[in-house]
Amino acid sequence: MDKFDSNYCYSFPAIRAIQAGKPFYIATCPLRIIPKIFMYDEEEVPVELRAQRTLNKSRIPEMTRYLLDSPKDYVFSALTASVGSDVEFIEANSMNNLGTLKVPMDAQMLINDGQHRRAAIEEAIKDNPELGQDNIAVLFFVDEGLKRSQQMFADLNKYAVRPSSSLGTLYDHRDQASELARYLSMNAKPFVGFTEFERSTISVRSSKLFTLSGIKQATRALFGKGPKDGFNDEEQKNAVDFWNTLNSYMVEWQQVQAKTLSAAEFRKEFITAHGIGLQALAIVGREISTFSESEQIEKFEGLKKINWLKSNSDWSNRAMQHGRLSKANSNIFLTAIEIKRQIALPISDEELVKEKELLNV
């Protein structure tokens, strides 16, 4: 007879394995039962008596929307849970580590890693019950008390590193801004052969000039787009046209492309080799695009005459702060205002007030 009465336990097809000398179990569970069987500590429990962080409810809607918008191709990684009770593993036909994991229904099953995924699953199933038929992998560990559960949380998160924003942009095929950035990196003259795809910073000796994430951010600025906004085919064409046109007026970009100026030297000396310069130029470019063709040429010609050297005092407290480039939004705004001033673009009263406040003058 089984250790547990089958009427009062959960049964999961599972694989048994050993880690650090202790057994753990790899199972799959239907999404519909995840909210019912897995708990997370309530927020009112003091942090020192919990085994995980407080649930950040602001993360849930975005994760829920991801599930609902991508029901045919979403990916959720495994949950990790501690079972606060003895479990029984029944081998299948003498296949040592393959069988059925039985967990008492009154056992406390606490998620050590994945509580936000659990909450998102619960919300998504309310809107789309069919998702409940899908499965998710679960790693079960037998609970050895609060101290061990807290250590598990610390260990599971200690080496978790988010991918760089450039790598995320490269691999994200759902986000239209990422799609456009990839397209520009292969079709717009300033970026072809000069795009760093993997990192969000460029090493001193690199031959690259712009990060893929920097191209995405600058192109959003060019169209005044937010993180959730998409791009149509016309905007894609306009983006390529803008960056190609701008390239013909950026002397140092052309010198790097002609190999008469090294990429390393360019990044060392000029603000236009960095994301802040790219975004500021995009902001200005958005306004230039509202002018007639002849006026646009005049404004682009003005860009040709600007001294883009970091040492130019025009960029002090704008692109440069205490001798270093700053990527803060306020610095991007101040840099764009100075570019507008130097090519005689109109500056609104509101922008002048904001500039004065930011410069504390």
Side-chain angles (χ1 to χ4, degrees):
M1 187 174 177
D2 292 347
K3 183 177 178 181
F4 306 123
D5 186 322
S6 61
N7 291 325
Y8 297 95
C9 46
Y10 296 106
S11 295
F12 304 100
I15 298 171
R16 178 176 57 193
I18 301 296
Q19 195 172 92
K22 302 180 181 68
F24 72 101
Y25 307 90
I26 307 165
T28 59
C29 297
L31 293 186
R32 67 180 181 277
I33 71 168
I34 293 297
K36 298 176 183 177
I37 65 174
F38 291 110
M39 301 173 54
Y40 56 88
D41 293 322
E42 298 298 331
E43 294 181 13
E44 60 266 19
V45 178
V47 65
E48 66 272 16
L49 299 180
R50 283 193 266 116
Q52 68 243 95
R53 76 192 93 193
T54 300
L55 196 69
N56 182 351
K57 293 181 180 178
S58 65
R59 292 179 58 191
I60 308 306
E62 185 174 3
M63 296 175 73
T64 302
R65 180 51 50 192
Y66 165 67
L67 283 173
L68 294 172
D69 288 349
S70 313
K72 299 300 183 183
D73 61 355
Y74 72 89
V75 178
F76 258 16
S77 56
L79 306 177
T80 301
S82 293
V83 183
S85 174
D86 288 336
V87 299
E88 182 180 14
F89 184 75
I90 302 173
E91 295 176 359
N93 300 322
S94 301
M95 297 180 68
N96 292 342
N97 294 317
L98 183 64
T100 301
L101 177 68
K102 291 198 168 186
V103 181
M105 281 192 172
D106 60 357
Q108 184 182 50
M109 288 185 274
L110 184 68
I111 291 181
N112 298 102
D113 182 59
Q115 69 267 32
H116 292 92
R117 271 164 279 155
R118 174 213 172 277
I121 288 168
E122 182 175 17
E123 293 302 312
I125 290 173
K126 292 176 184 177
D127 280 12
N128 183 3
E130 289 185 9
L131 283 170
Q133 306 302 316
D134 287 358
N135 292 272
I136 190 169
V138 182
L139 274 63
F140 287 98
F141 291 85
V142 177
D143 191 3
E144 297 179 27
L146 178 64
K147 184 176 180 180
R148 172 60 178 161
S149 290
Q150 289 178 335
Q151 188 61 55
M152 283 176 64
F153 176 83
D155 290 347
L156 286 166
N157 288 278
K158 184 178 295 183
Y159 303 110
V161 179
R162 288 177 62 87
S164 72
S165 53
S166 283
L167 193 60
T169 297
L170 181 63
Y171 292 160
D172 190 346
H173 294 274
R174 289 194 181 90
D175 177 37
Q176 290 183 347
S178 296
E179 289 278 9
L180 179 53
R182 288 193 299 272
Y183 182 82
L184 290 170
S185 72
M186 294 180 283
N187 293 277
K189 290 177 184 177
F191 310 133
V192 176
F194 294 99
T195 300
E196 170 56 62
F197 290 100
E198 188 168 353
R199 299 175 179 84
S200 293
T201 57
I202 299 178
S203 63
V204 173
R205 297 181 182 178
S206 175
S207 61
K208 307 302 182 185
L209 292 182
F210 307 109
T211 65
L212 189 61
S213 59
I215 295 170
K216 179 169 75 171
Q217 291 166 353
T219 304
R220 279 177 176 160
L222 176 63
F223 293 102
K225 299 270 190 175
K228 303 296 183 183
D229 296 328
F231 291 86
N232 57 39
D233 291 344
E234 183 181 358
E235 287 170 329
Q236 175 178 288
K237 179 184 181 300
N238 290 341
V240 174
D241 289 345
F242 168 76
W243 291 117
N244 284 342
T245 299
L246 179 63
N247 187 78
S248 64
Y249 293 94
M250 301 301 290
V251 176
E252 290 78 22
W253 288 4
Q254 295 173 43
Q255 289 175 344
V256 174
Q257 291 157 15
K259 294 184 168 53
T260 58
L261 174 66
S262 73
E265 190 67 20
F266 182 37
R267 287 195 308 276
K268 181 180 178 182
E269 301 292 343
F270 294 87
I271 69 167
T272 44
H274 300 271
I276 182 172
L278 206 62
Q279 281 189 255
L281 282 166
I283 292 169
V284 173
R286 185 182 177 208
E287 296 201 22
I288 291 176
S289 67
T290 63
F291 287 76
S292 67
E293 187 173 339
S294 60
E295 289 175 313
Q296 287 186 36
I297 293 173
E298 178 188 337
K299 300 307 179 187
F300 277 121
E301 285 287 352
L303 294 175
K304 217 175 190 179
K305 302 171 185 176
I306 293 177
N307 178 354
W308 300 107
L309 283 167
K310 294 178 183 178
S311 58
N312 179 6
S313 60
D314 290 341
W315 312 123
S316 179
N317 296 320
R318 293 179 186 271
M320 306 296 294
Q321 290 283 354
H322 309 294
R324 299 177 64 87
L325 278 173
S326 173
K327 297 185 292 184
N329 288 334
S330 57
N331 294 99
I332 294 169
F333 168 80
L334 289 170
T335 302
I337 291 296
E338 181 58 28
I339 295 172
K340 289 174 65 173
R341 184 172 285 118
Q342 294 203 26
I343 64 173
L345 271 180
I347 302 173
S348 69
D349 290 342
E350 183 181 352
E351 288 174 324
L352 289 172
V353 169
K354 185 177 179 181
E355 178 188 39
K356 188 174 181 179
E357 290 174 351
L358 291 173
L359 292 174
N360 295 314
V361 294

